[in-house]
Amino acid sequence: MELNTGRQANRELTEVLNQLWHLDTNRLKPGTDYRISLQGKAGYVAPGSNQARDRAHAPLFGYVNEEKLHNIETFAHFINLLDNYETSTGVSETVTSEELQENRLFIDAIMETEVMKCAHTYLVKKDQSPADPGQFKRQLYDIWFRLYHRDRRGGEDSCGFEHVFVGETKHGQEIMGLHNWVQFYLQEKHGHVDYKGYKARDNKDSPDEDDHVLNLQFSWKGLVKPIGGSFIGVSPEFEVALFTIIFLMSTEKMTSVVVKVDEYVLELVVYRHGRSIGTSYPKLLSSNNRDL
């Protein structure tokens, strides 16, 4: 299938991603399982600058039901993984056998969900993945957990999971990745993330606090991310499934595809690093027919 990179929503991908959305029973409910406070609209940050005006004096997350997170198996394994990565690129990762086991437990857990089973079925039908679940798990492992050199000066210092979900810093200057809401919440709770405000084109486009996709501005460990797209409240298996499909359906170094998932028109962006994901994130284009 040719991935349509124009601004029209890709019909086939829209269909399969909406199936995943409806199957995502582990998604948390806004207002019930968590509360966010969007506050002000973030301003312009000059490239390379780490100065951003703070348009949000309170945290983004006012409340998250952590007990629920720890009681949902995929979230519990996911949170274990967040602890395992050293955030500075160029620092070789030391992977203990216990951590390797945790990577596998996470893949085992997400493969039990209807979301991942649906993604697997679709990818087999498209001749992109092996039908055997064990071989598919190995493919997922290579895409998300295989270590590679992101920084030429160091050792094997990065992997897709770390970049997308955990975040990493580059020469202590630029934030890379950190597109996951659970990590954002945990980092904010520990005082490492400072939410600066939401990004939108004009005042008519202000997002709602029950929106499941947001464009955010924040600083992390003193470094500013001028804009970062993130799903909010979704399960880790939903993000892994969605980005695995986009990754495998294209051989390009960079793939960008427009889809409509639930009420959100999104651009999904995936960068390839050999047989692994370099980065992947959503960019909200419009919601509820609001044009951003």
Side-chain angles (χ1 to χ4, degrees):
M1 176 179 76
E2 271 300 300
L3 288 194
N4 160 5
T5 52
R7 299 297 86 177
Q8 286 295 306
N10 180 302
R11 260 195 222 153
E12 184 177 326
L13 279 176
T14 286
E15 193 180 325
V16 71
L17 299 182
N18 277 288
Q19 285 174 353
L20 300 182
W21 182 263
H22 292 303
L23 290 170
D24 192 18
T25 51
N26 286 337
R27 184 167 62 244
L28 267 55
K29 292 181 179 58
T32 309
D33 300 324
Y34 68 91
R35 279 192 307 275
I36 62 171
S37 172
L38 288 164
Q39 304 162 81
K41 183 182 159 188
Y44 172 74
V45 174
S49 163
N50 276 309
Q51 303 302 312
R53 287 187 67 177
D54 199 341
R55 308 284 185 175
H57 294 298
L60 175 65
F61 285 93
Y63 163 76
V64 172
N65 184 339
E66 286 198 35
E67 191 184 353
K68 183 160 188 172
L69 284 186
H70 288 289
N71 285 335
I72 298 173
E73 200 175 346
T74 56
F75 275 112
H77 285 297
F78 180 76
I79 290 166
N80 284 343
L81 291 183
L82 294 177
D83 298 335
N84 288 344
Y85 291 92
E86 167 64 55
T87 61
S88 175
T89 51
V91 176
S92 283
E93 291 291 346
T94 341
V95 184
T96 65
S97 56
E98 186 188 351
E99 286 171 6
L100 286 174
Q101 179 63 7
E102 283 176 0
N103 293 347
R104 292 195 184 99
L105 287 171
F106 173 68
I107 288 178
D108 288 345
I110 64 175
M111 279 298 292
E112 293 296 312
T113 66
E114 293 306 312
V115 168
M116 281 308 292
K117 287 176 184 167
C118 173
H120 184 208
T121 302
Y122 176 75
L123 287 165
V124 170
K125 190 177 86 180
K126 297 304 244 174
D127 294 326
Q128 298 302 318
S129 293
D132 175 69
Q135 288 183 335
F136 180 55
K137 285 180 186 180
R138 280 195 285 282
Q139 185 184 32
L140 286 175
Y141 198 98
D142 280 349
I143 291 170
W144 289 100
F145 291 108
R146 180 181 286 279
L147 288 173
Y148 51 74
H149 303 261
R150 194 183 285 277
D151 185 327
R152 288 195 187 90
R153 299 185 301 189
E156 294 189 324
D157 62 344
S158 188
C159 67
F161 180 90
E162 179 184 17
H163 182 89
V164 174
F165 294 115
V166 186
E168 48 193 357
T169 56
K170 185 177 180 179
H171 314 317
Q173 287 170 331
E174 177 193 343
I175 300 179
M176 300 162 67
L178 211 173
H179 293 285
N180 177 261
W181 74 271
V182 178
Q183 172 70 339
F184 189 101
Y185 161 68
L186 292 171
Q187 291 292 307
E188 190 174 60
K189 182 179 141 184
H190 296 311
H192 301 314
V193 155
D194 181 12
Y195 169 61
K196 303 292 188 188
Y198 64 86
K199 290 295 286 184
R201 286 205 188 143
D202 60 44
N203 295 331
K204 297 197 298 291
D205 302 326
S206 53
D208 300 324
E209 303 200 330
D210 61 356
D211 279 355
H212 280 291
V213 195
L214 294 172
N215 297 328
L216 307 170
Q217 186 179 101
F218 58 94
S219 67
W220 182 44
K221 301 181 177 179
L223 301 174
V224 169
K225 180 127 187 168
I227 180 166
S230 193
F231 287 102
I232 307 287
V234 302
S235 71
E237 58 268 26
F238 174 78
E239 293 194 69
V240 168
L242 171 134
F243 290 124
T244 300
I245 287 173
I246 307 290
F247 175 79
L248 287 172
M249 295 305 295
S250 166
T251 54
E252 298 297 317
K253 177 97 177 126
M254 192 279 276
T255 302
S256 151
V257 60
V258 174
V259 292
K260 185 167 193 287
V261 179
D262 191 50
E263 65 186 54
Y264 310 102
V265 179
L266 306 174
E267 180 184 359
L268 299 173
V269 180
V270 175
Y271 282 81
R272 174 178 284 276
H273 200 290
R275 285 190 304 158
S276 306
I277 279 183
T279 189
S280 57
Y281 53 88
K283 210 155 100 187
L284 182 63
L285 301 179
S286 67
S287 168
N288 277 336
N289 301 322
R290 294 193 316 262
D291 223 6
L292 293 192

